[in-house]
Structures are given as C-alpha cells and as structure tokens.
Amino acid sequence: MASSVLVSLSKKIIKPFSPTTPERIYKLSFNNQFNSTQYVPIAFFYPNNKVFKPNGMRNVIENSLSKALAAYYPFAGTLRDNVHIERNDIGADFYKARFDCPMSEILKSQDRNVKEVYSKDIPSNVIAPNRKLVMVQLNQFDRGGIALSVCVC
C-alpha cells in the first residue's frame, strides 16, 4: 500500500462578505469562557462527484464561508482573551490541500490517522491571544473525492 503524501498546500484568508457591526468587542457567555480554550475539529468526506470540479467546489466553499462570516460575525474576529472576542473582520484561514492517494487509503488504513486532513497550523497553545476562531481546509484526493475539514473554537 502506498503511503499518502501531502503534495501541495496553499493558504488564503477569507474575509466576511460585508462589513460587520461597528461594535468591536463581543463578550463570551459564562459557558463559552470555559470552552474557548480548544478547537473542535469536524471532517466531512465526499466521494468523487462528477458535477463539481475541484476548482469550482473551492470557489463555492470560499464564497459560502465569506457569507457565513458576515452573518455570524463573531467568527470573523479573534479571541482576545478567554472572555472577549475582538470583532476585527480578520476572517478565517482557508487551506487547500492535495494528496497523492485515494481517499479510501486514509479512511481504511488502521495505521493512518485521519488527522492528516486537518491543518497543521492549529496552535498547540490554544490560550494564545489574538487567535482566529475558524479554520477550513479543502482536501482533494487522487481519483476524485474531497474532504472538508473545519476547526472552530
């Protein structure tokens, strides 16, 4: 079995579609103050789809993320401390990755960790100030198929 290799990775910052409200500081609720110290990773795997081409899919995801950041404006900011979000419209990190293996190799291999489809830029010190709240990565595989991974703080 060939090992999967990440052959390309690009990064782009996606800004909100429209400017958000003028209020710049958003106070987290009591519960969110305790949960804001970790990223919650989610991955969605989609088999080969003849309808969307990978570049077309990337454009759809980028546009949708931009509109979602405008609607859910606190996610376009940064975590100032564990109590406040600074709504500075800095946006979300968007990564595009390409693997030289089929998606099935990552999903079926027992010695492989699915963490390969998540960005390596997730900080180990999640309490660091001024960190972004959302990271999205679009992964393309040989023979088609994509994985969309999202990390939300």
Side-chain angles (χ1 to χ4, degrees), residues 99-113:
F99 290 89
D100 72 344
C101 68
M103 182 188 337
S104 60
E105 183 177 317
I106 288 182
L107 292 174
K108 291 180 182 177
S109 177
Q110 294 181 5
D111 63 339
R112 184 148 331 279
N113 197 333

Side-chain angles (χ1 to χ4, degrees), residues 4-149:
S4 66
V5 176
L6 177 67
V7 292
S8 70
L9 179 69
S10 62
K11 178 181 176 182
K12 184 177 183 180
I13 296 174
I14 305 296
K15 302 275 188 180
F17 180 73
S18 59
T20 61
T21 63
E23 300 165 6
R24 303 316 294 168
I25 303 297
Y26 180 81
K27 186 173 179 178
L28 293 172
S29 70
F30 183 74
N31 288 335
N32 286 336
Q33 291 176 25
F34 291 103
N35 294 327
S36 65
T37 60
Q38 59 187 338
Y39 282 99
V40 177
I42 303 168
F44 303 95
F45 291 86
Y46 299 97
N48 192 6
N49 185 344
K50 307 279 188 214
V51 177
F52 284 105
K53 301 293 182 211
N55 285 337
M57 182 65 72
R58 185 193 76 224
N59 292 336
V60 168
I61 292 169
E62 286 179 8
N63 289 334
S64 298
L65 178 58
S66 179
K67 290 176 182 176
L69 290 173
Y72 300 98
Y73 47 86
F75 287 109
T78 53
L79 190 64
R80 189 200 296 169
D81 49 32
N82 283 356
V83 180
H84 299 95
I85 292 175
E86 186 172 351
R87 296 196 334 232
N88 49 17
D89 291 347
I90 200 165
D93 289 339
F94 179 80
Y95 298 88
K96 183 180 174 203
R98 190 171 65 81
F99 290 89
D100 72 344
C101 68
M103 182 188 337
S104 60
E105 183 177 317
I106 288 182
L107 292 174
K108 291 180 182 177
S109 177
Q110 294 181 5
D111 63 339
R112 184 148 331 279
N113 197 333
V114 179
K115 286 184 182 178
E116 290 184 35
V117 299
Y118 294 107
S119 170
K120 306 291 186 255
D121 286 348
I122 297 174
S124 57
N125 179 9
V126 294
I127 302 176
N130 299 322
R131 64 187 165 104
K132 292 184 181 174
L133 301 173
V134 176
M135 289 187 241
V136 177
Q137 183 168 320
L138 174 63
N139 303 282
Q140 293 176 255
F141 299 95
D142 278 356
R143 299 185 213 152
I146 62 168
L148 183 64
S149 54

